[in-house]
Amino acid sequence: MPFGNLASRLQETFKKLSGRGKLSEKDVTAALREVRLALLEADVNYKVVKTFTDKVKERAVGHEVLSSLSPAQQVIKIVNEELTELMGGTLSKITLASKPPTVIMMVGLQGAGKTTTSGKLALLFKKQGHRPLLVAADIYRPAAIKQLEVLGEQVGIPVFSMGDTHSPVDIANAAISHANSHGNDIVILDTAGRLHIDEDLMEELVQIKEKTKPHEILLVVDAMTGQDAVNVAEAFNEQLGIDGVVLTKLDGDARGGAALSIKTVTNTPIKFAGISEKLDGLEPFHPDRMARRILGMGDILSLIEKAEASMDEKKAKELAEKIKRAEFTLEDFKDQLQQIKNMGPLDQLIGMLPGMGQLKNLKGGLAVDDSHLKSIEAIINSMTVEERQNPSIIGGSRRRRIAQGSGTRVQDVNRLLKQFEQMRQMMKQVSGMGKGKKKGRNMLPFFR
Amino acid sequence: MGWRNIFRRRKDDEIKNTTDTLSTETVSTENTETKNNFFQRLKSGLSKTRQGLFGKVESLLTGRTIDEELFEELEDLLIQADVGFETTMYLIDELRERAKRDKLKEGIQLKETLEQVIVSIFSENAAPLAIGDNSPAVIMVVGVNGAGKTTTIGKLGYRLKQEQAKVLFAAGDTFRAAAIEQLETWATRIGVDIIAHKEGSDPAAVAFDAVAAAKARKADVLLLDTAGRLQTKKNLMAELGKVYRVVSKELGREPDEVLLVIDATTGQNALSQARLFNEVVPLTGIVLTKLDGTAKGGIILALSHELKIPVKLVGVGEQNEDLQDFDPESFATALFSD
């Protein structure tokens, strides 16, 4: 989960704070020391950390907190607000040109993920009904052009390339004429990775910029970047004037402090986040949600979006009907699990739930991995159709058979059946009351 | 077999060369000229690190008396260089103690002390590339996406080839688009053989074939590329573990080196990378790449101090030759010299 450790750190800190009625300046200072440490360990630039903690302290140690009824929550609120602001306020989008094609230029250090991000971005636009063109302007790295061509093929988007013998400036120019004559309304220039202090190569980018007049210059930054992120962003911004940042590799355990720093230093918003190796793994960056997530306040909005994207609406309706009539079977349960699995790795989902961030850090903790779901599925798969419809017929010998067939133990089968029965009881009550509030909770026993 | 000694010899050369770099331009002996270029490059790569961190250290310490405020400012500088909180605290504590013990007063006296502490961190677990004893020596290169694995293999291959070693590449990154072509381009460029399967094939199968081929062709060194993977991806890490086991089985022993490639711009996440990779494949060393930028590379101090994994190679530029042995002493000396 992105920023995972920072979230648990701040939670830890504020748990200490929450135990008190009112906060003294000393308490706030102590808490902020923890915040400072957590932010530094998250690779937030040390200057940014200083400004940040000073600002929070200024606001927290005032009247605002001391006279407040729940001081701890007040502090969390302040940190949250400041953090959100630090990361760029609200969501920024790509500005499209009034007269197509919109030219987007991808720049960054070597290995930040420009080529992959170009492919992902193109796919994102394609899904929105645009006709993007990918341009292979990295003539230096061996096989970079080939990489973009392969990506283009995978996402079904044309790739413009002229080999590695023409200058990137010429390639970019030719690509735009090509886009004009072929009806591509978005041109994505994949430039070579370069060091921000390499004068010749930076000059090359400036020339591409002058010749092609890009509408967006996106700086691609690896979420694992340390203190240097600020220097890199500053240098690219000074020489090129960047319009936005794409933060990549956020699916690892990097705390992504770079994201927090870049906006402050360059005043450039983070527009997208790379959250998976898969080609659809590029999402608009939501600073407000990310801040809430850092503070362990949960990221319910993302969860709902994910659910909507992966749940089958028709099936969901059928299911609701069944629950109403108390006909929910193990078969339906399996379908539900399937849909949950479609939403992505479980630990990511859990991280989005309020308060669940902490659970991950319990010793020997919450084993939320997908293998648990798999064994439940295996158990259900090892049942006959009749057994799934009517679990009450599953006696001792059937249980042994099911356990054997699914590679689990009889206890596991017992537990599943017991929990399923409880769930069914609960659903009866819920549908009886006409209130679905507790439904979600009952899923959780299965994840231990 | 000359190439087998290069990793031992280099250390002496480096010390010799770093001490007389000023005069290198005028030295014209055929043999030393190439070496001098070599170290000129190391110097110019490192000079940025030096200006970035230790240039500042010097200007900070000059003309100051040692007090708490100075330690705090020093702390900020180390943090800024990605040294990390824990290791920074260790360094500062050591400095404080030694300053007290040796009754230091002048700020600038701390510079040498800092240098000593840093060298001792690196020296504790220094080790050269262990590829002299077995044939074929197998070097597995692992790391997160975009760290510079394939480029490192290209450069290392070039270097071994220069030393007359028979080198074989294995294109074990079967996942990323055109990764195989990238390594093939390197192989053609420097003239070494390569074992490659199709994109999307099983990397363990590539590894198996490569080890068999290395034995059959009597290669001296097999360099095995792997796909970049984030250390938190369980399945991909399990796949890496499998490649390691397959290599060990076919080879009849464990790979001689498993090198973790880390981008010098990486922050504290490098610790997590080293920890989690080490759980799956026992790491024997670290390669620090892209040190020619403004990144301070201070994370290798944290890696050495907290995890005790030796840093073996550093990438300091984009040329074939720009991969150097990491030698703690000459590295630290180069860092502090002007």
Side-chain angles (χ1 to χ4, degrees):
Chain A
M1 178 179 89
F3 299 108
N5 300 330
L6 180 55
S8 49
R9 208 40 189 278
L10 292 183
Q11 271 166 7
E12 219 16 62
T13 307
F14 288 121
K15 222 163 57 195
K16 281 181 217 156
L17 283 185
S18 305
R20 297 164 180 263
K22 289 196 173 184
L23 290 170
S24 66
E25 181 173 345
K26 222 173 112 196
D27 292 329
V28 174
T29 313
L32 288 182
R33 201 173 296 137
E34 291 288 321
V35 173
R36 172 173 177 263
L37 187 56
L39 291 173
L40 281 179
E41 281 182 349
D43 292 320
V44 180
N45 183 270
Y46 83 110
K47 282 184 198 155
V48 176
V49 171
K50 244 178 203 160
T51 333
F52 179 74
T53 45
D54 286 352
K55 222 169 168 183
V56 171
K57 190 177 176 186
E58 201 180 297
R59 278 187 65 184
V61 179
H63 189 72
E64 200 177 353
V65 164
L66 295 176
S67 65
S68 153
L69 278 176
S70 76
Q73 269 162 23
Q74 196 74 12
V75 175
I76 292 176
K77 186 170 162 270
I78 294 168
V79 173
N80 180 32
E81 281 169 10
E82 294 292 332
L83 214 51
T84 307
E85 200 191 307
L86 196 66
M87 280 192 294
T90 48
L91 171 67
S92 318
K93 287 190 170 149
I94 294 270
T95 35
L96 294 178
S98 50
K99 186 172 163 282
T102 303
V103 179
I104 302 172
M105 190 171 154
M106 312 295 286
V107 301
L109 299 180
Q110 291 96 335
K114 284 174 300 302
T115 306
T116 307
T117 304
S118 298
K120 287 178 176 177
L121 194 59
L123 181 64
L124 207 66
F125 280 125
K126 189 186 168 196
K127 279 184 178 165
Q128 292 169 7
H130 292 283
R131 298 192 58 209
L133 176 70
L134 284 163
V135 182
D138 181 356
I139 58 168
Y140 304 104
R141 182 167 59 96
I145 296 173
K146 176 81 188 178
Q147 185 186 352
L148 194 66
E149 282 170 354
V150 172
L151 282 174
E153 202 172 301
Q154 283 170 3
V155 293
I157 286 162
V159 175
F160 182 88
S161 78
M162 291 165 66
D164 55 8
T165 50
H166 292 78
S167 83
V169 183
D170 292 344
I171 295 173
N173 263 332
I176 291 171
S177 339
H178 179 94
N180 273 323
S181 57
H182 288 73
N184 298 108
D185 60 346
I186 289 174
V187 175
I188 300 173
L189 302 175
D190 176 31
T191 67
R194 65 201 73 215
L195 285 170
H196 52 295
I197 49 167
D198 188 326
E199 285 171 19
D200 294 341
L201 285 179
M202 288 305 281
E203 178 56 31
E204 181 189 283
L205 286 183
V206 173
Q207 278 180 18
I208 297 179
K209 185 191 172 183
E210 279 168 6
K211 289 276 158 54
T212 61
K213 306 256 180 307
H215 304 87
E216 286 269 349
I217 299 181
L218 295 180
L219 176 68
V220 181
V221 180
D222 187 326
M224 296 178 277
T225 313
Q227 298 283 326
D228 201 42
V230 160
N231 298 332
V232 174
E234 231 168 12
F236 272 97
N237 193 33
E238 263 166 31
Q239 292 174 63
L240 286 172
I242 54 174
D243 302 291
V245 174
V246 182
L247 200 64
T248 61
K249 306 178 205 173
L250 261 175
D251 44 340
D253 61 353
R255 302 187 206 172
L260 303 180
S261 313
I262 290 175
K263 167 72 207 262
T264 332
V265 175
T266 65
N267 203 25
T268 307
I270 295 151
K271 297 197 169 178
F272 293 98
I275 48 127
S276 131
E277 276 194 346
K278 289 183 190 138
L279 284 166
D280 58 0
L282 187 73
E283 286 187 347
F285 183 80
H286 298 278
D288 43 347
R289 292 186 198 175
M290 199 59 107
R292 290 180 64 80
R293 199 151 144 179
I294 290 172
L295 296 173
M297 293 158 94
D299 186 11
I300 288 294
L301 282 175
S302 288
L303 191 62
I304 291 171
E305 265 180 20
K306 269 196 181 212
E308 278 174 356
S310 43
M311 294 285 177
D312 185 330
E313 205 183 327
K314 210 175 120 199
K315 271 195 174 170
K317 266 191 189 154
E318 278 175 23
L319 188 68
E321 280 301 306
K322 279 188 174 170
I323 291 174
K324 253 190 201 160
R325 296 194 304 257
E327 283 170 7
F328 188 69
T329 66
L330 277 163
E331 189 80 38
D332 301 319
F333 181 56
K334 205 185 85 184
D335 274 353
Q336 261 195 327
L337 287 183
Q338 200 60 51
Q339 297 195 343
I340 290 176
K341 263 168 70 179
N342 287 343
M343 284 165 65
L346 261 186
D347 52 346
Q348 269 188 27
L349 295 181
I350 296 288
M352 292 177 185
L353 293 172
M356 294 301 268
Q358 292 160 299
L359 286 181
K360 285 182 79 180
N361 296 331
L362 292 178
K363 272 232 168 95
L366 193 77
V368 237
D369 58 62
D370 297 322
S371 63
H372 201 73
L373 279 192
K374 250 185 216 154
S375 68
I376 292 176
E377 234 186 315
I379 293 174
I380 300 177
N381 279 336
S382 299
M383 296 177 184
T384 63
V385 178
E386 203 190 347
E387 285 164 350
R388 287 180 215 170
Q389 301 289 351
N390 184 13
S392 60
I393 63 167
I394 305 178
S397 91
R398 283 180 194 252
R399 284 175 200 223
R400 270 195 301 280
R401 191 206 76 235
I402 292 165
Q404 223 162 29
S406 58
T408 55
R409 295 165 306 171
V410 176
Q411 293 99 295
D412 297 324
V413 179
N414 287 342
R415 194 173 58 219
L416 174 68
L417 289 172
K418 199 173 157 203
Q419 285 173 334
F420 178 73
E421 194 41 50
Q422 283 172 354
M423 193 164 147
R424 216 152 59 158
Q425 292 296 331
M426 202 74 79
M427 280 178 174
K428 263 185 200 159
Q429 287 173 10
V430 168
S431 58
M433 290 186 300
K435 209 165 136 194
K437 207 179 169 190
K438 282 198 166 175
K439 228 188 293 171
R441 272 213 186 149
N442 297 313
M443 300 291 295
L444 289 172
F446 288 91
F447 308 144
R448 243 184 309 182
Chain B
M1 281 253 233
W3 65 271
R4 298 208 163 184
N5 297 320
I6 61 165
F7 295 98
R8 269 142 225 173
R9 230 176 37 218
R10 189 79 63 202
K11 192 166 161 179
D12 305 329
D13 290 344
E14 240 170 272
I15 291 165
K16 201 174 76 216
N17 276 283
T18 40
T19 49
D20 63 15
T21 20
L22 285 179
S23 58
T24 50
E25 298 285 292
T26 52
V27 178
S28 60
T29 327
E30 188 197 8
N31 199 14
T32 45
E33 197 174 275
T34 46
K35 270 191 215 151
N36 286 335
N37 289 338
F38 200 68
F39 288 104
Q40 210 67 57
R41 226 174 267 120
L42 170 67
K43 276 287 253 185
S44 65
L46 289 183
S47 66
K48 283 157 203 148
T49 316
R50 188 172 63 239
Q51 278 154 12
L53 170 59
F54 294 101
K56 281 182 193 160
V57 167
E58 186 156 350
S59 59
L60 171 70
L61 296 176
T62 308
R64 297 274 298 265
T65 45
I66 297 173
D67 54 17
E68 265 315 293
E69 199 185 324
L70 189 65
F71 283 124
E72 258 171 46
E73 285 174 48
L74 206 52
E75 188 186 311
D76 277 347
L77 276 185
L78 290 166
I79 293 274
Q80 195 190 349
D82 289 322
V83 173
F85 192 77
E86 201 181 315
T87 306
T88 296
M89 284 300 119
Y90 167 78
L91 287 172
I92 297 288
D93 286 347
E94 278 288 307
L95 278 186
R96 208 176 266 136
E97 219 166 87
R98 291 186 193 202
K100 206 172 156 192
R101 187 190 65 197
D102 301 338
K103 299 197 171 54
L104 302 180
K105 287 206 175 64
E106 300 288 315
I108 198 71
Q109 292 172 299
L110 284 180
K111 196 184 122 181
E112 201 183 318
T113 319
L114 181 60
E115 190 179 321
Q116 284 165 1
V117 181
I118 289 178
V119 168
S120 72
I121 287 181
F122 285 134
S123 307
E124 255 172 53
N125 39 56
L129 269 193
I131 55 169
D133 305 327
N134 296 307
S135 202
V138 176
I139 303 181
M140 215 173 136
V141 178
V142 304
V144 298
N145 316 61
K149 287 173 296 301
T150 307
T151 307
T152 297
I153 288 184
K155 289 177 182 173
L156 187 55
Y158 172 82
R159 207 173 121 177
L160 292 165
K161 179 103 197 298
Q162 292 297 101
E163 303 283 343
Q164 314 301 324
K166 188 168 183 209
V167 179
L168 185 65
F169 283 173
D173 181 355
T174 57
F175 177 78
R176 202 200 70 201
I180 297 170
E181 283 87 344
Q182 189 181 346
L183 193 64
E184 274 171 348
T185 310
W186 270 102
T188 317
R189 189 192 282 176
I190 63 177
V192 305
D193 286 350
I194 179 169
I195 301 298
H197 286 189
K198 267 191 288 193
E199 192 176 312
S201 55
D202 180 5
V206 179
F208 179 88
D209 283 359
V211 174
K215 286 198 283 193
R217 300 181 195 183
K218 301 209 177 344
D220 295 313
V221 186
L222 171 66
L223 293 173
L224 174 59
D225 195 10
T226 61
R229 65 201 78 220
L230 295 178
Q231 70 274 23
T232 49
K233 307 257 158 136
K234 286 211 178 85
N235 294 344
L236 295 178
M237 293 305 278
E239 176 194 88
L240 190 65
K242 183 181 165 195
V243 171
Y244 183 87
R245 287 192 300 276
V246 165
V247 170
S248 306
K249 197 171 174 202
E250 177 63 9
L251 197 62
R253 59 185 158 85
E254 303 196 320
D256 303 81
E257 290 278 357
V258 181
L259 300 176
L260 175 68
V261 179
I262 287 181
D263 184 328
T265 52
T266 311
Q268 302 310 302
N269 192 248
L271 289 167
S272 160
Q273 289 172 23
R275 276 195 194 104
L276 294 179
F277 270 98
N278 197 34
E279 277 174 18
V280 180
V281 286
L283 299 175
T284 60
I286 281 163
V287 181
L288 187 72
T289 60
K290 308 182 205 174
L291 200 58
D292 45 339
T294 50
K296 321 293 189 292
I299 190 63
I300 54 172
L301 263 172
L303 287 171
S304 283
H305 174 60
E306 290 178 37
L307 302 180
K308 317 281 178 212
I309 303 172
V311 184
K312 297 207 166 174
L313 300 164
V314 271
V316 294
E318 293 184 318
Q319 303 305 312
N320 290 353
E321 303 85 4
D322 289 338
L323 186 73
Q324 323 285 346
D325 285 318
F326 178 78
D327 177 70
E329 280 166 47
S330 54
F331 183 83
T333 315
L335 282 177
F336 289 103
S337 68
D338 289 311

